[in-house]
Amino acid sequence: MMAVMHDDPPILVCADLQAEYLTEGRSHFIADAGAITSRCLELMTLWRNNLWPIMHLKRIAQAAWFNPASNLTDWIADLRPKPGELTFEHPLPSAYSSARFAEYMSNMKSIRCVLLGFSLDETILSTAIDGFHRSHRYQIVSDAVACRRPGTGDAVSYRQAVVRVIGNYAGIQESSDVIEASSGITV
């Protein structure tokens, strides 16, 4: 995703940065959420300081384990959207399950998206695949994404396996590479 000097900046897509993932004892709890939210905040700050576009995805599934009426679906305080940033609520894992998101993306030409956040094995995976089938370009920030611990097995190996699968549908970069590439973007 090396940016050409006159490329438009990519849109930063922040997936499911919600309290559910930080609440210990919940089925979607992410043990290393602190490190991930720190990287997400670093990238969001870079985008905000440069006045580049940011959109936020919020999972509002109707399932009992993700009750939309609960305050657990609220944004993580430090990562909540700012005025002027787009927000989309999606009921199914893919952000494209939001009619507003799907329509917005279909109206964008030559769009590049940098995707970070939670629910790597649900929202991020399914959004990257749906985007791929619509010829939308996604770049996953591998050290700024996380998923809940699987029922069995090693969480780190599981996360790496999911990232490798996503690599079939989207580019994969670390946050340091994204930050370095962003220095060549002028608006």
Side-chain angles (χ1 to χ4, degrees):
M1 183 189 93
M2 295 308 289
V4 177
M5 212 49 167
H6 301 290
D7 275 357
D8 287 334
I11 294 176
L12 185 67
V13 181
C14 306
D16 301 348
L17 296 173
Q18 297 167 249
E20 174 79 19
Y21 298 100
L22 304 182
T23 307
E24 211 164 330
R26 301 290 298 171
S27 63
H28 282 74
F29 175 69
I30 297 173
D32 62 346
I36 301 303
T37 57
S38 176
R39 283 187 206 94
C40 290
L41 183 58
E42 179 182 13
L43 290 166
M44 288 171 74
T45 301
L46 172 67
W47 255 252
R48 287 173 174 157
N49 288 344
N50 286 295
L51 302 176
W52 295 339
I54 299 176
M55 68 173 66
H56 301 265
L57 306 177
K58 184 177 188 181
R59 181 82 188 267
I60 56 161
Q62 298 298 319
W65 52 263
F66 218 99
N67 181 355
S70 166
N71 64 353
L72 295 174
T73 61
D74 290 348
W75 303 108
I76 297 168
D78 293 338
L79 303 172
R80 74 178 64 246
K82 301 273 187 204
E85 296 174 355
L86 297 171
T87 60
F88 299 95
E89 295 180 341
H90 58 104
L92 299 173
S94 173
Y96 290 90
S97 68
S98 162
R100 283 184 57 240
F101 180 83
E103 181 179 359
Y104 179 84
M105 294 298 286
S106 71
N107 288 314
M108 301 301 289
K109 302 295 182 225
S110 301
I111 190 170
R112 295 178 303 127
C113 297
V114 173
L115 186 54
L116 55 78
F118 294 141
S119 199
L120 174 65
D121 56 348
E122 294 176 4
T123 298
I124 294 171
L125 173 65
S126 59
T127 299
I129 291 171
D130 278 355
F132 174 83
H133 291 292
R134 290 170 169 86
S135 298
H136 298 152
R137 296 180 296 162
Y138 282 93
Q139 193 74 31
I140 308 302
V141 185
S142 63
D143 60 337
V145 293
C147 53
R148 64 190 164 121
R149 182 180 171 89
T152 60
D154 173 34
V156 173
S157 297
Y158 178 70
R159 185 180 159 284
Q160 290 171 341
V162 174
V163 168
R164 279 194 305 273
V165 168
I166 292 172
N168 293 313
Y169 305 97
I172 307 292
Q173 280 191 315
E174 293 205 8
S175 58
S176 59
D177 296 328
V178 172
I179 292 167
E180 183 181 322
S182 72
S183 65
I185 298 173
T186 59
V187 182

